[in-house]
Each structure stands twice: as structure tokens, then as C-alpha cells.
């Protein structure tokens, strides 16, 4: 599932995506209205639907991403392909073989439209689409370890841009984008899980990762000038939890769970990032945003 504004995208077992309008509902009854299905069922009178159906995913849709500015929906699948849909007219504008194994996650940089994909083949790939043209071009392949890559998250701001990837070996690798060349250089890894990393959410100051936790959602909240986050987590053991994380300038991070106040400082349970020597050498001069990432 993927939500943007009043639009909800859902992927189904028939290898199609449903688009829903969720604007017209009240607190008592939730009745979303289905807008369309991608791809639409083929019809002799609808040649576009026939063409789209021919490039329908051949296996389960594993991930969704949406590029806001151009209204493009990206779908990744176990069939190793990525499809690009223009939501305004339900048209398939591009379909390409992205990896040698299942596509597990897609992330779009909303600043420039750059697309990141990861796969069980152990690679992260970066794709670009020239404005006004449909085909995507592979610009860079990132591979630091052979383990399958399950999750991606991007932390982008005016000062820096970091890409994080979570792997089945329990490592979280991260790359920094160079401002001049726009290349992503491997900057190190985080090691804090004994099992596969299945989900990631990165903010400017914190990175949230899940092991047996299958999915995460993080919402920023500010209370009395104290920045914090509400974290929603769903585990493979069928449990769902809600956490409140407060970032205190002097005391580190305080975690609250279900009203219970867990007085922990951040250093009590966090692992320090392992940085690549060449990257550290370049960053020794002055403070750097990565020092804030945990």
C-alpha cells in the first residue's frame, strides 16, 4: 500500500494496482472510492489497455513508489521488472528489466526524480529519466556486499543526501551523494541487527530499522519545542506497536511505548556506524551531517 494526499494505491494478488480516492469519508464509516485499476482489463475498443496489459507484471508486485511532481507510479515485482504508470491517464510510460532477481524496494528522490531500486541479487541501482522522455536509464549500480537487499530509504536535505539499504545479513549500508558529480559514494555501514533488515525509515537526524519487524511508518511531531517521532511497527509475529521517540538535545533519545516511559539514553542501545576509511579522511575537517545520524 502507498498513500499520497487523498489517493491510495494498493497492490493485489492479481498483479494489478487499484487506485482509490479516500477524501470522502467521515470518522464513523470509511468508504474509499475506486478510481481505476492498473492495468485496465483489455478491450477491443481500448487499444491503450491492450498494450498496457501485454506488459503486466508476471509475478507478485512487491513494492510501490510515487513521484509527486509528474504523477508517476512505480511498481516493482518479483518478475525482476519495474513498470512506470502515469496516473493522470492510466498509461504505462515505461517498463524495464531492473535486476537479475526480485525487486524488493523502490524509492524516488522527490527533488530530482531519481529512482532507486534494490533486489535479492544484492545490488542497488540508480535510474534517471530525462524530462519529456519515457525510458529510464541506468546511471549507477551500488554493491558492497553479496547479501540480498530488502529495504531502501533516502534522507535528503539542502545540506546532504544519504541513501540507506538494509540487507539480509543484518547490515545497513549507506552512501552519500556528491554535490558536484551527483555520484553516490559508499560511506560505511550500521551493524545493529542479528537478523535480516526488512524495513528502513530515514529522517534528517535518525534512522529507524526493523529486523523481524516487517514494516515501519514514522510521523514527525513537535511538542513544547521538543522534536519527536511517532513510530508504528508491524512484526512477523502478528503484533502491531506504536512508539513515541523524543529527541532531547542534552539527554539523547527517550522512548515511550503504550504510555510506559522508558528512560533510556541513546547510547545505551545504539550501535556506532562503521565508516569507510577514505570517506572519514575526507570528512575530518569540520562537522558533518552524518555525525547526527544514528
Amino acid at each position: 500500500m502507498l498513500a499520497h494526499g487523498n489517493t491510495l494505491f494498493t497492490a493485489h494478488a492479481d498483479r494489478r494496482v487499484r487506485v482509490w480516492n479516500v477524501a470522502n469519508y467521515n470518522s464513523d464509516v470509511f468508504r474509499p472510492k475506486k478510481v481505476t485499476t492498473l492495468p485496465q482489463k483489455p478491450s477491443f475498443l481500448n487499444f491503450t489497455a491492450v498494450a498496457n496489459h501485454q506488459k503486466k507484471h508476471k509475478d507478485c508486485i512487491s513494492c510501490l513508489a510515487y513521484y509527486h511532481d509528474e504523477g508517476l507510479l512505480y511498481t516493482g515485482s518479483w518478475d525482476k521488472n519495474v513498470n512506470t504508470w502515469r496516473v493522470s491517464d492510466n498509461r504505462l510510460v515505461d517498463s524495464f528489466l531492473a535486476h537479475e532477481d526480485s525487486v524488493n524496494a523502490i524509492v524516488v528522490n522527490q527533488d530530482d526524480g531519481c529512482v532507486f531500486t534494490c533486489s535479492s541479487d544484492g545490488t542497488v541501482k540508480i535510474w534517471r529519466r530525462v524530462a519529456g522522455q519515457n525510458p529510464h536509464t541506468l546511471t549507477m549500480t551500488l554493491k558492497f556486499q553479496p547479501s540480498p537487499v530488502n529495504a531502501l530509504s533516502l534522507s535528503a536535505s539542502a545540506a546532504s543526501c544519504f541513501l540507506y539499504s538494509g540487507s539480509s545479513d543484518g547490515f545497513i549500508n549507506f552512501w552519500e551523494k556528491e554535490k558536484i558529480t551527483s555520484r553516490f559514494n559508499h560511506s560505511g555501514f550500521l551493524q545493529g541487527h542479528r537478523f535480516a533488515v526488512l524495513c528502513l525509515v530515514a529522517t534528517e537526524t535518525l534512522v529507524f530499522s526493523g529486523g523481524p519487524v516487517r514494516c515501519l511508518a514514522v510521523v514527525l511531531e513537535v511538542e513544547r519545542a521538543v522534536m519527536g517521532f511517532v513510530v508504528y511497527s508491524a512484526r512477523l509475529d502478528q503484533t502491531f506497536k506504536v512508539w513515541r521517540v523524543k529527541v532531547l538535545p542534552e539527554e539523547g533519545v527517550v522512548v515511550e511505548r503504550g504510555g510506559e516511559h522508558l528512560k533510556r539514553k541513546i547510547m545505551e542501545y545504539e550501535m556506532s556506524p562503521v565508516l569507510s576509511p577514505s570517506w572519514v579522511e575526507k570528512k575530518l575537517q569540520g562537522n558533518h551531517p552524518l555525525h547526527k545520524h544514528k
Side-chain angles (χ1 to χ4, degrees):
M1 296 176 62
L2 174 67
H4 174 67
N6 294 325
T7 303
L8 177 68
F9 303 96
T10 58
H12 300 261
D14 62 359
R15 304 187 295 278
R16 286 186 171 92
V17 174
R18 270 71 172 177
V19 184
W20 309 82
N21 186 313
V22 296
N24 298 319
Y25 70 92
N26 56 48
S27 58
D28 298 325
V29 181
F30 181 73
R31 293 178 179 174
K33 179 182 178 181
K34 188 174 75 170
V35 178
T36 189
T37 300
L38 303 174
Q40 296 177 329
K41 291 185 178 181
S43 168
F44 291 109
L45 300 178
N46 190 337
F47 297 104
T48 300
V50 173
N52 291 347
H53 190 268
Q54 291 176 346
K55 292 192 176 182
K56 171 186 172 183
H57 285 298
K58 303 301 189 294
D59 209 331
C60 294
I61 296 175
S62 54
C63 49
L64 302 169
Y66 186 67
Y67 182 32
H68 307 163
D69 284 354
E70 297 190 21
L72 298 177
L73 177 68
Y74 292 87
T75 61
S77 170
W78 290 353
D79 66 6
K80 311 174 187 178
N81 291 300
V82 171
N83 285 354
T84 310
W85 300 89
R86 190 166 58 217
V87 178
S88 60
D89 58 3
N90 306 326
R91 183 180 294 273
L92 180 69
V93 297
D94 196 12
S95 179
F96 55 94
L97 179 64
H99 290 273
E100 298 177 0
D101 208 329
S102 303
V103 180
N104 294 329
I106 302 177
V107 171
V108 180
N109 188 340
Q110 300 299 331
D111 293 332
D112 58 11
C114 188
V115 179
F116 304 84
T117 62
C118 70
S119 168
S120 295
D121 64 11
T123 65
V124 176
K125 293 187 177 181
I126 305 175
W127 309 83
R128 287 191 179 276
R129 174 175 171 267
V130 179
Q133 300 183 17
N134 293 328
H136 288 73
T137 302
L138 177 64
T139 61
M140 195 172 183
T141 299
L142 310 175
K143 186 172 184 178
F144 187 73
Q145 292 166 320
S147 182
V149 185
N150 306 310
L152 292 174
S153 190
L154 191 70
S155 174
S157 66
S160 63
C161 181
F162 287 91
L163 174 68
Y164 298 86
S165 68
S167 305
S168 292
D169 56 11
F171 286 86
I172 301 170
N173 286 280
F174 57 93
W175 289 263
E176 182 190 15
K177 181 181 179 180
E178 289 186 357
K179 291 185 176 180
I180 298 178
T181 64
S182 295
R183 290 181 58 86
F184 281 81
N185 297 320
H186 187 261
S187 305
F189 59 87
L190 305 170
Q191 185 179 8
H193 290 276
R194 291 180 296 170
F195 303 104
V197 178
L198 301 180
C199 51
L200 285 172
V201 177
T203 70
E204 272 195 69
T205 55
L206 296 175
V207 176
F208 301 87
S209 58
V213 176
R214 184 62 185 88
C215 51
L216 288 171
V218 178
V219 179
L220 175 67
E221 69 170 8
V222 178
E223 183 180 354
R224 296 178 181 177
V226 176
M227 185 182 71
F229 301 91
V230 178
V231 182
Y232 302 88
S233 63
R235 290 170 51 95
L236 297 176
D237 61 4
Q238 303 180 12
T239 61
F240 176 81
K241 294 183 179 181
V242 182
W243 310 77
R244 176 168 281 109
V245 179
K246 296 181 180 179
V247 182
L248 306 180
E250 298 179 356
E251 300 180 25
V253 171
V254 175
V255 181
E256 294 179 354
R257 180 185 62 196
E260 179 185 2
H261 192 68
L262 305 180
K263 295 182 179 179
R264 300 181 183 177
K265 290 187 178 181
I266 194 168
M267 60 284 297
E268 292 181 7
Y269 61 89
E270 286 192 341
M271 303 291 288
S272 297
V274 180
L275 307 177
S276 71
S278 59
W279 186 86
V280 172
E281 185 177 354
K282 292 191 300 182
K283 302 299 178 183
L284 283 178
Q285 302 297 327
N287 295 327
H288 193 268
L290 181 65
H291 298 163
K292 301 179 182 178
H293 286 247
K294 305 295 183 184

